[in-house]
Amino acid sequence: MGRKSGGPLLRGAALGAGVLLAGCQTLDLGESKFIPSDNPVTVDTVTRGDQLANLARRQHPKILKTYGDEYSDPKLERMLARVVGRLTLNPDSPSQTYRITILDSPNINAFALPGGYLYVTRGLLALANDSAEVAAVLAHEMAHVTANHGIERQRKEAEAVLTSRVVDEVLVGDSTARAAAVRGKLRLAQFSRNQELEADAVGIKATGRAGYDPYAAARFLRSMDAYQSFRNVSGGSDASLDFLASHPNAPRRIELAQGHARQFGMPGTGTRDREAFLEGIDGILFGDKPDQGYVRGTDFMHPTLGIAFSVPEGFVIDNSSGEVVAAGPGNLAFRFDGTTVARSLSLTDYLGSGWLDGLDKSSVRTTTINGREAATARAYADDWQFDVTVVRVGEQVYRLLTGAPRASTQLDTIARQITGTFRVMNQAEIAALKPLRIRVVTVRPGDSVATFANQMVGVSRKLELFRVLNALGPGTTLSAGDKVKIVTDR
């Protein structure tokens, strides 16, 4: 979700985040570029004390923390194991091994580390529509491993960091040196794009050779494009954790993927293994986990913390790790989080305790919100103004920050609308909240796209999301006997 930057308000955290888009350049795509390494670093080298593979192994707990830990589902794991097993029946590297982990994240991502560590999020699995698409994604990531891309990227990134440090610490004010550092970063980005296209080519070759539909890569790239477009309007989870944040995507890339697939024949070549895949993902968690809270339209409800609030119509909520943010019309923005504060510290003193930059101390006021002790204040940063409200619930203090441009006259109205909805949920409300899941259902005679879109709960723009999840174009219809995915809490 694109958000407007409000400048620094909380120390160590910003109200919003910008989005950087890199342009594509013409690349040399000769077949000679697509040769895997003769000496790949794989899981079996860990037992031989390989330094880089051990480094990757040490990164594993950090990745689990970043992406919400491991997602456990035995039938889903068996389905993935079959796909990986089929892909690794490779006569060119019979001893190669991989460890695959499903990450408990709604983001759409997959990646690999040196040492044969493969990761795929449950969000990506929910978006895919057959085993061939998952095989294409995994083969792409496995290609990074066999080509030793992780090692090369680490070396290049280390060089870029060192260059940046020299410029910042030694050559301050030297515009020529700074320009050289920028060019170095651009070369690193170009290097990364070359790697991605190389992995596309090697991965599609591996997918087709394993007997899967080689056109699955291009098909899933389209699905991710459609997902990104949907999320750009609807909002979503942390975009920096998504595949498209680190993998170049453009019509040219899809076109190249189709060209590689044509080496195996016309569309229809290979298997999709759709039935087994849909059986594997039936019931997979969709969206937020209970310990992260749930977004339901303009409402945010956290069953574990037992609190809830709402934003006005026109705002889009993004529930990310550790905070909830929302963007609204007129460059309005909102941020919510919580922290532990000793009961002996008053809320007015807490507001002035140094965690808040730009505080107008004369604006600090005590109040109550739905029977809860609270305090409010104003803060300013550059061209922005903020309403800051803190509410105490037991040992927790919840912070509600609403931001608007200095010239805006809407700050007070919007801030009071949001903070006035903050409340502690009762046990009946908490018990009624259930996580959303993907359910696979069969199309009956007379059913339509609208039939299933209307069955979906807990999501916005149901018709568009149903089409994105099922890779259905604008004019595509359903036939009796087809299987489709819906989002529901049952």
Side-chain angles (χ1 to χ4, degrees):
M1 177 179 70
R3 304 174 218 144
K4 299 293 183 181
S5 175
L9 179 62
L10 293 175
R11 289 183 178 162
L15 185 63
V19 177
L20 178 64
L21 301 177
C24 295
Q25 299 181 23
T26 303
L27 304 174
D28 178 5
L29 301 172
E31 191 65 30
S32 63
K33 300 280 186 185
F34 304 139
I35 301 173
S37 169
D38 292 329
N39 184 31
V41 181
T42 54
V43 167
D44 64 325
T45 60
V46 174
T47 60
R48 298 203 301 267
D50 183 278
Q51 183 178 359
L52 286 167
N54 275 298
L55 177 62
R57 184 176 58 181
R58 290 196 297 271
Q59 292 300 313
H60 181 72
K62 298 177 183 178
I63 290 171
L64 293 183
K65 183 177 180 181
T66 300
Y67 282 87
D69 217 338
E70 190 169 350
Y71 184 74
S72 179
D73 182 334
K75 68 183 176 69
L76 189 60
E77 291 161 7
R78 286 193 296 271
M79 181 272 291
L80 275 179
R82 286 195 297 269
V83 174
V84 174
R86 191 164 171 174
L87 287 172
T88 53
L89 291 176
N90 186 346
D92 294 341
S93 51
S95 63
Q96 194 167 334
T97 55
Y98 293 90
R99 169 181 174 172
I100 185 164
T101 300
I102 305 172
L103 297 170
D104 194 1
S105 168
N107 295 91
I108 313 295
N109 209 349
F111 49 92
L113 293 182
Y117 287 79
L118 292 173
Y119 300 88
V120 60
T121 60
R122 60 174 170 83
L124 185 145
L125 296 174
L127 181 63
N129 276 283
D130 55 51
S131 296
E133 292 183 358
V134 174
V137 171
L138 295 179
H140 172 101
E141 299 306 330
M142 291 160 74
H144 281 309
V145 175
T146 59
N148 286 339
H149 283 167
I151 299 168
E152 295 177 34
R153 181 172 291 163
Q154 284 180 338
R155 177 172 58 81
K156 291 287 185 179
E157 288 178 349
E159 292 173 0
V161 169
L162 179 60
T163 301
S164 178
R165 187 180 305 151
V166 169
V167 170
D168 289 341
E169 296 179 2
V170 181
L171 302 173
V172 176
D174 188 328
S175 59
T176 303
R178 290 190 174 277
V182 170
R183 286 196 298 273
K185 290 182 179 180
L186 289 175
R187 282 197 296 273
L188 177 60
Q190 177 63 43
F191 177 81
S192 177
R193 285 194 291 270
N194 277 320
Q195 286 185 328
E196 298 301 345
L197 291 166
E198 178 180 348
D200 279 351
V202 174
I204 291 168
K205 181 180 178 182
T207 304
R209 188 164 54 188
Y212 285 115
D213 175 12
Y215 290 87
R219 196 165 61 245
F220 195 59
L221 283 169
R222 288 195 192 93
S223 287
M224 286 193 293
D225 245 352
Y227 160 80
Q228 186 180 48
S229 297
F230 174 83
R231 190 190 59 193
N232 283 345
V233 176
S234 292
S237 48
D238 187 351
S240 69
L241 300 180
D242 279 343
F243 189 92
L244 293 180
S246 57
H247 292 65
N249 194 37
R252 176 61 175 158
R253 186 182 180 195
I254 295 173
E255 183 182 324
L256 289 168
Q258 289 176 316
H260 296 307
R262 279 193 287 272
Q263 297 175 15
F264 291 88
M266 297 302 291
T269 303
T271 63
R272 293 192 177 187
D273 196 26
R274 179 171 163 81
E275 289 283 336
F277 174 78
L278 292 178
E279 182 182 345
I281 67 164
D282 188 27
I284 191 173
L285 200 65
F286 182 85
D288 301 319
K289 299 186 292 184
D291 61 357
Q292 295 174 323
Y294 300 130
V295 176
R296 298 289 189 267
T298 57
D299 299 323
F300 176 77
M301 297 166 283
H302 202 302
T304 306
L305 298 176
I307 55 92
F309 63 84
S310 303
V311 296
E313 290 294 332
F315 276 71
V316 177
I317 301 176
D318 181 357
N319 180 22
S320 57
S321 178
E323 66 179 16
V324 180
V325 296
N331 288 345
L332 290 161
F334 172 75
R335 182 183 187 274
F336 171 86
D337 67 4
T339 188
T340 301
V341 176
R343 293 298 299 258
S344 58
L345 183 65
S346 73
L347 291 181
T348 53
D349 286 343
Y350 173 66
L351 281 171
S353 62
W355 62 274
L356 188 63
D357 284 337
L359 174 68
D360 176 2
K361 292 183 179 180
S362 67
S363 69
V364 176
R365 300 284 186 275
T366 59
T367 185
T368 58
I369 295 177
N370 290 321
R372 299 285 167 176
E373 177 190 356
T376 65
R378 277 292 182 96
Y380 300 90
D382 299 325
D383 297 327
W384 288 78
Q385 54 180 328
F386 300 92
D387 177 273
V388 186
T389 299
V390 291
V391 186
R392 193 190 300 273
V393 180
E395 296 297 321
Q396 280 293 111
V397 168
Y398 294 101
R399 308 185 292 196
L400 297 87
L401 289 76
T402 309
R406 288 252 192 175
S408 175
T409 59
Q410 296 182 283
L411 179 60
D412 282 334
T413 301
I414 297 300
R416 297 290 77 78
Q417 283 183 27
I418 297 175
T419 58
T421 66
F422 179 87
R423 61 190 175 83
V424 175
M425 302 170 67
N426 60 46
Q427 289 303 312
E429 289 178 300
I430 293 173
L433 273 178
K434 292 184 172 26
L436 300 180
R437 298 184 183 276
I438 291 286
R439 291 296 180 187
V440 177
V441 293
T442 303
V443 178
R444 298 167 301 182
D447 284 340
S448 66
V449 169
T451 301
F452 294 107
N454 290 333
Q455 292 179 24
M456 304 220 296
V457 300
V459 295
S460 59
R461 298 168 62 212
K462 298 178 181 181
L463 189 62
E464 291 174 64
L465 180 58
F466 177 78
R467 288 192 177 278
V468 169
L469 286 176
N470 291 282
L472 300 174
T476 307
T477 57
L478 302 176
S479 300
D482 288 348
K483 290 188 181 298
V484 293
K485 299 177 291 182
I486 63 170
V487 177
T488 178
D489 58 2
R490 61 177 174 81

